[in-house]
Short mmCIF file of all heavy atoms in Angstrom, two decimals:
data_model
loop_
_atom_site.label_atom_id
_atom_site.label_comp_id
_atom_site.label_asym_id
_atom_site.label_seq_id
_atom_site.Cartn_x
_atom_site.Cartn_y
_atom_site.Cartn_z
N PHE L 61 20.73 -96.84 74.82
CA PHE L 61 21.81 -96.91 73.84
C PHE L 61 22.25 -95.50 73.48
O PHE L 61 21.42 -94.61 73.27
CB PHE L 61 21.31 -97.66 72.61
CG PHE L 61 22.29 -97.82 71.50
CD1 PHE L 61 23.49 -98.50 71.70
CD2 PHE L 61 22.03 -97.31 70.24
CE1 PHE L 61 24.40 -98.65 70.67
CE2 PHE L 61 22.93 -97.47 69.20
CZ PHE L 61 24.12 -98.14 69.43
N ASN L 62 23.55 -95.29 73.42
CA ASN L 62 24.14 -93.98 73.07
C ASN L 62 23.68 -92.87 74.01
O ASN L 62 23.39 -91.75 73.57
CB ASN L 62 23.83 -93.61 71.62
CG ASN L 62 24.75 -94.31 70.66
OD1 ASN L 62 25.85 -94.71 71.01
ND2 ASN L 62 24.31 -94.45 69.42
N LEU L 63 23.62 -93.16 75.30
CA LEU L 63 23.26 -92.16 76.29
C LEU L 63 24.49 -91.30 76.59
O LEU L 63 25.62 -91.80 76.61
CB LEU L 63 22.77 -92.83 77.58
CG LEU L 63 21.59 -93.79 77.42
CD1 LEU L 63 21.29 -94.49 78.73
CD2 LEU L 63 20.36 -93.05 76.92
N ASP L 64 24.27 -90.02 76.84
CA ASP L 64 25.38 -89.13 77.18
C ASP L 64 25.98 -89.52 78.52
O ASP L 64 25.26 -89.83 79.48
CB ASP L 64 24.91 -87.68 77.22
CG ASP L 64 24.58 -87.14 75.84
OD1 ASP L 64 25.24 -87.56 74.88
OD2 ASP L 64 23.66 -86.30 75.75
N SER L 65 27.31 -89.50 78.58
CA SER L 65 28.03 -89.83 79.80
C SER L 65 29.23 -88.90 79.94
O SER L 65 30.04 -88.82 79.03
CB SER L 65 28.51 -91.29 79.75
OG SER L 65 29.45 -91.53 80.77
N PRO L 66 29.34 -88.21 81.07
CA PRO L 66 30.48 -87.32 81.26
C PRO L 66 31.82 -88.08 81.25
O PRO L 66 32.84 -87.56 80.82
CB PRO L 66 30.25 -86.68 82.62
CG PRO L 66 28.89 -87.07 83.06
CD PRO L 66 28.40 -88.17 82.17
N LEU L 67 31.80 -89.32 81.71
CA LEU L 67 33.03 -90.12 81.78
C LEU L 67 33.38 -90.81 80.47
O LEU L 67 34.55 -90.94 80.12
CB LEU L 67 32.92 -91.18 82.88
CG LEU L 67 32.79 -90.68 84.30
CD1 LEU L 67 32.55 -91.84 85.24
CD2 LEU L 67 34.03 -89.91 84.70
N MET L 68 32.36 -91.28 79.74
CA MET L 68 32.60 -92.12 78.57
C MET L 68 32.25 -91.46 77.25
O MET L 68 32.51 -92.03 76.20
CB MET L 68 31.78 -93.41 78.71
CG MET L 68 32.08 -94.22 79.94
SD MET L 68 30.96 -95.63 80.13
CE MET L 68 31.44 -96.64 78.74
N GLY L 69 31.63 -90.31 77.28
CA GLY L 69 31.12 -89.71 76.05
C GLY L 69 29.73 -90.28 75.77
O GLY L 69 28.73 -89.64 76.03
N LYS L 70 29.68 -91.51 75.28
CA LYS L 70 28.42 -92.22 75.06
C LYS L 70 28.51 -93.57 75.77
O LYS L 70 29.58 -94.17 75.85
CB LYS L 70 28.16 -92.46 73.57
CG LYS L 70 27.97 -91.20 72.76
CD LYS L 70 26.65 -90.56 73.06
CE LYS L 70 26.44 -89.33 72.16
NZ LYS L 70 25.19 -88.67 72.49
N LYS L 71 27.37 -94.02 76.27
CA LYS L 71 27.36 -95.30 76.99
C LYS L 71 26.04 -96.01 76.77
O LYS L 71 25.09 -95.45 76.23
CB LYS L 71 27.59 -95.09 78.49
CG LYS L 71 26.39 -94.45 79.19
CD LYS L 71 26.56 -94.43 80.69
CE LYS L 71 25.29 -93.89 81.36
NZ LYS L 71 25.39 -93.95 82.81
N GLY L 72 26.01 -97.26 77.24
CA GLY L 72 24.79 -98.04 77.23
C GLY L 72 24.47 -98.48 78.65
O GLY L 72 25.34 -98.51 79.52
N ILE L 73 23.20 -98.79 78.87
CA ILE L 73 22.75 -99.29 80.17
C ILE L 73 21.67 -100.33 79.93
O ILE L 73 20.90 -100.23 78.96
CB ILE L 73 22.24 -98.14 81.07
CG1 ILE L 73 21.94 -98.63 82.48
CG2 ILE L 73 21.05 -97.44 80.44
CD1 ILE L 73 21.66 -97.50 83.46
N ILE L 74 21.63 -101.34 80.78
CA ILE L 74 20.61 -102.39 80.69
C ILE L 74 19.98 -102.53 82.07
O ILE L 74 20.68 -102.69 83.06
CB ILE L 74 21.20 -103.74 80.26
CG1 ILE L 74 21.91 -103.64 78.91
CG2 ILE L 74 20.12 -104.81 80.23
CD1 ILE L 74 22.71 -104.87 78.53
N LYS L 75 18.64 -102.48 82.11
CA LYS L 75 17.89 -102.68 83.36
C LYS L 75 17.01 -103.91 83.16
O LYS L 75 16.22 -103.97 82.22
CB LYS L 75 17.02 -101.46 83.67
CG LYS L 75 17.82 -100.20 83.92
CD LYS L 75 16.92 -98.99 84.05
CE LYS L 75 16.46 -98.86 85.46
NZ LYS L 75 15.71 -97.59 85.69
N ILE L 76 17.18 -104.89 84.04
CA ILE L 76 16.45 -106.15 83.92
C ILE L 76 15.63 -106.36 85.20
O ILE L 76 16.20 -106.52 86.29
CB ILE L 76 17.41 -107.33 83.71
CG1 ILE L 76 18.38 -107.02 82.57
CG2 ILE L 76 16.64 -108.62 83.47
CD1 ILE L 76 19.67 -107.76 82.64
N ALA L 77 14.32 -106.36 85.07
CA ALA L 77 13.44 -106.51 86.23
C ALA L 77 13.39 -107.95 86.71
O ALA L 77 13.34 -108.88 85.90
CB ALA L 77 12.03 -106.03 85.87
N ASP L 78 13.42 -108.10 88.01
CA ASP L 78 13.18 -109.39 88.69
C ASP L 78 14.16 -110.49 88.31
O ASP L 78 13.83 -111.68 88.41
CB ASP L 78 11.74 -109.87 88.43
CG ASP L 78 10.72 -108.84 88.90
OD1 ASP L 78 10.92 -108.26 89.98
OD2 ASP L 78 9.74 -108.59 88.17
N VAL L 79 15.34 -110.13 87.85
CA VAL L 79 16.37 -111.12 87.51
C VAL L 79 17.67 -110.72 88.17
O VAL L 79 18.08 -109.57 88.10
CB VAL L 79 16.58 -111.23 85.98
CG1 VAL L 79 17.75 -112.14 85.65
CG2 VAL L 79 15.31 -111.71 85.29
N THR L 80 18.29 -111.67 88.83
CA THR L 80 19.66 -111.48 89.31
C THR L 80 20.48 -112.62 88.73
O THR L 80 20.04 -113.77 88.71
CB THR L 80 19.76 -111.47 90.85
OG1 THR L 80 19.14 -112.63 91.37
CG2 THR L 80 19.11 -110.24 91.44
N TYR L 81 21.63 -112.27 88.24
CA TYR L 81 22.51 -113.25 87.61
C TYR L 81 23.58 -113.68 88.61
O TYR L 81 24.01 -112.88 89.43
CB TYR L 81 23.21 -112.63 86.40
CG TYR L 81 22.31 -112.37 85.23
CD1 TYR L 81 21.68 -111.15 85.07
CD2 TYR L 81 22.11 -113.35 84.26
CE1 TYR L 81 20.87 -110.89 83.97
CE2 TYR L 81 21.29 -113.10 83.17
CZ TYR L 81 20.68 -111.87 83.04
OH TYR L 81 19.88 -111.64 81.95
N PRO L 82 24.06 -114.92 88.48
CA PRO L 82 25.21 -115.33 89.30
C PRO L 82 26.43 -114.49 88.91
O PRO L 82 26.56 -114.04 87.76
CB PRO L 82 25.43 -116.80 88.94
CG PRO L 82 24.28 -117.21 88.10
CD PRO L 82 23.57 -115.99 87.63
N GLU L 83 27.30 -114.28 89.85
CA GLU L 83 28.51 -113.47 89.61
C GLU L 83 29.31 -113.98 88.43
O GLU L 83 29.84 -113.20 87.63
CB GLU L 83 29.37 -113.44 90.87
CG GLU L 83 30.53 -112.50 90.78
CD GLU L 83 31.26 -112.33 92.09
OE1 GLU L 83 30.75 -112.75 93.14
OE2 GLU L 83 32.37 -111.77 92.05
N ALA L 84 29.41 -115.30 88.28
CA ALA L 84 30.18 -115.88 87.18
C ALA L 84 29.63 -115.45 85.82
O ALA L 84 30.40 -115.22 84.88
CB ALA L 84 30.18 -117.40 87.28
N ILE L 85 28.33 -115.33 85.70
CA ILE L 85 27.72 -114.89 84.45
C ILE L 85 28.00 -113.41 84.21
O ILE L 85 28.41 -113.00 83.13
CB ILE L 85 26.19 -115.14 84.46
CG1 ILE L 85 25.88 -116.62 84.59
CG2 ILE L 85 25.53 -114.53 83.23
CD1 ILE L 85 26.30 -117.48 83.42
N LEU L 86 27.81 -112.60 85.24
CA LEU L 86 28.03 -111.16 85.10
C LEU L 86 29.48 -110.83 84.79
O LEU L 86 29.76 -109.89 84.06
CB LEU L 86 27.57 -110.43 86.36
CG LEU L 86 26.06 -110.42 86.57
CD1 LEU L 86 25.72 -109.85 87.93
CD2 LEU L 86 25.36 -109.64 85.47
N ASN L 87 30.39 -111.60 85.34
CA ASN L 87 31.80 -111.30 85.11
C ASN L 87 32.23 -111.55 83.68
O ASN L 87 33.25 -111.05 83.23
CB ASN L 87 32.67 -112.08 86.09
CG ASN L 87 32.65 -111.46 87.47
OD1 ASN L 87 32.33 -110.28 87.62
ND2 ASN L 87 32.97 -112.23 88.47
N ARG L 88 31.44 -112.30 82.92
CA ARG L 88 31.74 -112.49 81.49
C ARG L 88 31.69 -111.16 80.75
O ARG L 88 32.34 -110.99 79.73
CB ARG L 88 30.73 -113.44 80.86
CG ARG L 88 30.78 -114.84 81.39
CD ARG L 88 29.68 -115.66 80.79
NE ARG L 88 29.73 -117.02 81.28
CZ ARG L 88 28.95 -117.98 80.84
NH1 ARG L 88 28.06 -117.74 79.92
NH2 ARG L 88 29.06 -119.18 81.34
N ILE L 89 30.90 -110.25 81.27
CA ILE L 89 30.76 -108.93 80.66
C ILE L 89 32.12 -108.23 80.59
O ILE L 89 32.37 -107.44 79.68
CB ILE L 89 29.74 -108.08 81.43
CG1 ILE L 89 28.36 -108.72 81.36
CG2 ILE L 89 29.71 -106.64 80.92
CD1 ILE L 89 27.35 -108.11 82.31
N ALA L 90 33.01 -108.53 81.52
CA ALA L 90 34.32 -107.89 81.57
C ALA L 90 35.11 -108.13 80.29
O ALA L 90 36.02 -107.36 79.96
CB ALA L 90 35.12 -108.38 82.78
N LEU L 91 34.79 -109.18 79.54
CA LEU L 91 35.46 -109.44 78.27
C LEU L 91 35.21 -108.34 77.25
O LEU L 91 36.10 -107.98 76.49
CB LEU L 91 34.94 -110.75 77.66
CG LEU L 91 35.66 -112.01 78.01
CD1 LEU L 91 34.92 -113.19 77.41
CD2 LEU L 91 37.08 -111.98 77.56
N ILE L 92 34.00 -107.82 77.22
CA ILE L 92 33.64 -106.86 76.18
C ILE L 92 33.34 -105.47 76.74
O ILE L 92 33.29 -104.51 75.99
CB ILE L 92 32.45 -107.38 75.35
CG1 ILE L 92 31.31 -107.84 76.24
CG2 ILE L 92 32.88 -108.46 74.42
CD1 ILE L 92 30.12 -108.38 75.52
N ALA L 93 33.13 -105.38 78.04
CA ALA L 93 32.87 -104.09 78.69
C ALA L 93 33.60 -104.07 80.03
O ALA L 93 32.98 -104.19 81.09
CB ALA L 93 31.37 -103.89 78.87
N PRO L 94 34.93 -103.95 80.01
CA PRO L 94 35.72 -104.12 81.23
C PRO L 94 35.46 -103.10 82.33
O PRO L 94 35.81 -103.34 83.49
CB PRO L 94 37.16 -104.03 80.74
CG PRO L 94 37.11 -103.44 79.39
CD PRO L 94 35.76 -103.71 78.84
N HIS L 95 34.81 -101.98 82.01
CA HIS L 95 34.56 -100.96 83.03
C HIS L 95 33.08 -100.89 83.42
O HIS L 95 32.66 -99.93 84.07
CB HIS L 95 35.06 -99.60 82.55
CG HIS L 95 36.52 -99.63 82.23
ND1 HIS L 95 37.50 -99.77 83.20
CD2 HIS L 95 37.18 -99.58 81.06
CE1 HIS L 95 38.69 -99.79 82.63
NE2 HIS L 95 38.52 -99.68 81.33
N ALA L 96 32.32 -101.90 83.03
CA ALA L 96 30.90 -101.93 83.38
C ALA L 96 30.72 -102.08 84.89
O ALA L 96 31.58 -102.63 85.58
CB ALA L 96 30.20 -103.09 82.66
N VAL L 97 29.60 -101.57 85.36
CA VAL L 97 29.26 -101.65 86.79
C VAL L 97 27.92 -102.34 86.92
O VAL L 97 26.96 -102.02 86.21
CB VAL L 97 29.21 -100.24 87.41
CG1 VAL L 97 28.75 -100.30 88.86
CG2 VAL L 97 30.56 -99.55 87.30
N VAL L 98 27.84 -103.29 87.85
CA VAL L 98 26.61 -104.04 88.11
C VAL L 98 25.98 -103.52 89.39
O VAL L 98 26.65 -103.40 90.42
CB VAL L 98 26.91 -105.55 88.24
CG1 VAL L 98 25.66 -106.31 88.65
CG2 VAL L 98 27.48 -106.10 86.95
N ASN L 99 24.70 -103.20 89.31
CA ASN L 99 23.93 -102.77 90.47
C ASN L 99 22.82 -103.78 90.71
O ASN L 99 22.04 -104.06 89.79
CB ASN L 99 23.30 -101.39 90.23
CG ASN L 99 24.35 -100.33 89.99
OD1 ASN L 99 24.99 -99.89 90.92
ND2 ASN L 99 24.52 -99.93 88.75
N ILE L 100 22.73 -104.28 91.92
CA ILE L 100 21.63 -105.18 92.30
C ILE L 100 20.61 -104.34 93.06
O ILE L 100 20.95 -103.64 94.02
CB ILE L 100 22.14 -106.34 93.19
CG1 ILE L 100 23.28 -107.10 92.51
CG2 ILE L 100 20.98 -107.28 93.55
CD1 ILE L 100 22.97 -107.68 91.15
N ILE L 101 19.35 -104.40 92.60
CA ILE L 101 18.28 -103.57 93.15
C ILE L 101 17.29 -104.45 93.92
O ILE L 101 16.86 -105.48 93.41
CB ILE L 101 17.52 -102.83 92.02
CG1 ILE L 101 18.47 -102.15 91.04
CG2 ILE L 101 16.49 -101.87 92.61
CD1 ILE L 101 19.31 -101.06 91.60
N LYS L 102 16.95 -104.01 95.14
CA LYS L 102 15.90 -104.68 95.94
C LYS L 102 15.05 -103.59 96.58
O LYS L 102 15.58 -102.68 97.22
CB LYS L 102 16.51 -105.58 97.01
CG LYS L 102 17.20 -106.78 96.39
CD LYS L 102 17.55 -107.84 97.39
CE LYS L 102 18.19 -108.98 96.61
NZ LYS L 102 18.95 -109.87 97.38
N ASP L 103 13.75 -103.68 96.39
CA ASP L 103 12.81 -102.69 96.91
C ASP L 103 13.23 -101.27 96.54
O ASP L 103 13.30 -100.38 97.39
CB ASP L 103 12.65 -102.82 98.43
CG ASP L 103 12.00 -104.14 98.81
OD1 ASP L 103 11.07 -104.57 98.09
OD2 ASP L 103 12.41 -104.75 99.82
N TYR L 104 13.56 -101.07 95.28
CA TYR L 104 13.93 -99.77 94.70
C TYR L 104 15.25 -99.21 95.23
O TYR L 104 15.58 -98.07 94.94
CB TYR L 104 12.82 -98.72 94.92
CG TYR L 104 11.52 -99.11 94.27
CD1 TYR L 104 10.47 -99.62 95.03
CD2 TYR L 104 11.34 -98.95 92.90
CE1 TYR L 104 9.27 -99.97 94.44
CE2 TYR L 104 10.14 -99.30 92.30
CZ TYR L 104 9.11 -99.82 93.08
OH TYR L 104 7.92 -100.16 92.49
N GLU L 105 16.00 -99.98 95.97
CA GLU L 105 17.28 -99.51 96.53
C GLU L 105 18.44 -100.33 95.95
O GLU L 105 18.31 -101.54 95.76
CB GLU L 105 17.30 -99.66 98.06
CG GLU L 105 16.26 -98.84 98.77
CD GLU L 105 16.54 -97.35 98.74
OE1 GLU L 105 17.73 -96.97 98.72
OE2 GLU L 105 15.56 -96.57 98.73
N VAL L 106 19.57 -99.67 95.74
CA VAL L 106 20.78 -100.38 95.31
C VAL L 106 21.37 -101.05 96.55
O VAL L 106 21.77 -100.38 97.50
CB VAL L 106 21.82 -99.40 94.70
CG1 VAL L 106 23.10 -100.15 94.36
CG2 VAL L 106 21.25 -98.72 93.48
N VAL L 107 21.37 -102.38 96.56
CA VAL L 107 21.89 -103.11 97.71
C VAL L 107 23.32 -103.61 97.46
O VAL L 107 24.02 -103.98 98.40
CB VAL L 107 20.99 -104.31 98.11
CG1 VAL L 107 19.63 -103.80 98.58
CG2 VAL L 107 20.84 -105.29 96.98
N GLU L 108 23.73 -103.59 96.19
CA GLU L 108 25.10 -103.99 95.84
C GLU L 108 25.50 -103.27 94.57
O GLU L 108 24.72 -103.18 93.63
CB GLU L 108 25.19 -105.50 95.64
CG GLU L 108 26.58 -106.00 95.34
CD GLU L 108 26.64 -107.50 95.07
OE1 GLU L 108 25.64 -108.21 95.33
OE2 GLU L 108 27.68 -107.94 94.59
N LYS L 109 26.71 -102.75 94.57
CA LYS L 109 27.24 -102.06 93.39
C LYS L 109 28.70 -102.48 93.27
O LYS L 109 29.48 -102.29 94.20
CB LYS L 109 27.13 -100.54 93.57
CG LYS L 109 27.61 -99.76 92.38
CD LYS L 109 27.33 -98.28 92.59
CE LYS L 109 27.59 -97.53 91.31
NZ LYS L 109 27.02 -96.20 91.33
N ARG L 110 29.03 -103.06 92.10
CA ARG L 110 30.41 -103.53 91.93
C ARG L 110 30.81 -103.53 90.47
O ARG L 110 29.97 -103.71 89.59
CB ARG L 110 30.59 -104.91 92.53
CG ARG L 110 29.79 -105.97 91.82
CD ARG L 110 30.10 -107.37 92.35
NE ARG L 110 29.30 -108.35 91.65
CZ ARG L 110 29.57 -108.83 90.45
NH1 ARG L 110 30.61 -108.42 89.78
NH2 ARG L 110 28.79 -109.74 89.89
N PRO L 111 32.09 -103.34 90.22
CA PRO L 111 32.57 -103.46 88.84
C PRO L 111 32.63 -104.93 88.44
O PRO L 111 32.74 -105.81 89.30
CB PRO L 111 33.96 -102.84 88.89
CG PRO L 111 34.40 -103.03 90.30
CD PRO L 111 33.15 -102.97 91.14
N VAL L 112 32.54 -105.19 87.15
CA VAL L 112 32.73 -106.56 86.68
C VAL L 112 34.23 -106.88 86.73
O VAL L 112 35.06 -106.00 86.59
CB VAL L 112 32.19 -106.78 85.25
CG1 VAL L 112 30.68 -106.66 85.23
CG2 VAL L 112 32.82 -105.82 84.26
N THR L 113 34.54 -108.14 86.96
CA THR L 113 35.93 -108.58 86.98
C THR L 113 36.04 -109.86 86.15
O THR L 113 35.15 -110.70 86.17
CB THR L 113 36.44 -108.87 88.41
OG1 THR L 113 35.58 -109.82 89.02
CG2 THR L 113 36.48 -107.61 89.25
N LEU L 114 37.13 -109.96 85.42
CA LEU L 114 37.33 -111.12 84.57
C LEU L 114 37.70 -112.33 85.43
O LEU L 114 38.60 -112.26 86.26
CB LEU L 114 38.46 -110.82 83.58
CG LEU L 114 38.50 -111.57 82.27
CD1 LEU L 114 37.18 -111.46 81.53
CD2 LEU L 114 39.61 -111.03 81.40
N PRO L 115 36.99 -113.46 85.28
CA PRO L 115 37.33 -114.66 86.05
C PRO L 115 38.67 -115.24 85.56
O PRO L 115 39.18 -114.85 84.52
CB PRO L 115 36.18 -115.62 85.76
CG PRO L 115 35.56 -115.13 84.50
CD PRO L 115 35.84 -113.67 84.39
N ASP L 116 39.23 -116.16 86.32
CA ASP L 116 40.52 -116.77 85.96
C ASP L 116 40.42 -117.67 84.73
O ASP L 116 41.39 -117.84 84.00
CB ASP L 116 41.08 -117.58 87.14
CG ASP L 116 41.46 -116.70 88.31
OD1 ASP L 116 41.77 -115.51 88.09
OD2 ASP L 116 41.44 -117.20 89.45
N GLU L 117 39.25 -118.27 84.53
CA GLU L 117 39.04 -119.16 83.39
C GLU L 117 37.73 -118.83 82.71
O GLU L 117 36.76 -118.44 83.36
CB GLU L 117 39.00 -120.62 83.85
CG GLU L 117 40.32 -121.14 84.35
CD GLU L 117 40.24 -122.62 84.69
OE1 GLU L 117 39.29 -123.03 85.38
OE2 GLU L 117 41.12 -123.36 84.24
N LEU L 118 37.70 -119.01 81.40
CA LEU L 118 36.50 -118.80 80.61
C LEU L 118 36.22 -120.07 79.82
O LEU L 118 37.06 -120.51 79.04
CB LEU L 118 36.69 -117.62 79.65
CG LEU L 118 36.92 -116.28 80.32
CD1 LEU L 118 37.43 -115.27 79.33
CD2 LEU L 118 35.66 -115.79 80.98
N ILE L 119 35.06 -120.65 80.05
CA ILE L 119 34.71 -121.90 79.37
C ILE L 119 33.49 -121.68 78.48
O ILE L 119 32.45 -121.20 78.94
CB ILE L 119 34.46 -123.02 80.40
CG1 ILE L 119 35.77 -123.27 81.17
CG2 ILE L 119 33.97 -124.28 79.71
CD1 ILE L 119 35.67 -124.25 82.29
N ASP L 120 33.68 -122.00 77.20
CA ASP L 120 32.63 -121.93 76.19
C ASP L 120 32.05 -120.53 75.99
O ASP L 120 30.86 -120.37 75.76
CB ASP L 120 31.51 -122.93 76.52
CG ASP L 120 30.89 -123.49 75.24
OD1 ASP L 120 31.58 -123.55 74.21
OD2 ASP L 120 29.70 -123.86 75.30
#
Side-chain angles (χ1 to χ4, degrees):
F61 180 60
N62 280 336
L63 303 174
D64 290 327
S65 167
L67 296 174
M68 302 174 67
K70 296 288 183 182
K71 72 172 184 176
I73 187 170
I74 302 171
K75 296 173 87 173
I76 309 155
D78 303 318
V79 174
T80 53
Y81 289 92
E83 187 171 348
I85 298 294
L86 291 172
N87 284 338
R88 295 175 179 185
I89 297 169
L91 270 175
I92 50 181
H95 302 292
V97 175
V98 174
N99 298 284
I100 305 302
I101 312 296
K102 292 192 178 161
D103 294 322
Y104 299 102
E105 298 289 329
V106 176
V107 296
E108 183 183 348
K109 182 174 190 165
R110 65 174 179 80
V112 293
T113 56
L114 205 53
D116 293 334
E117 292 184 312
L118 297 166
I119 297 175
D120 213 27

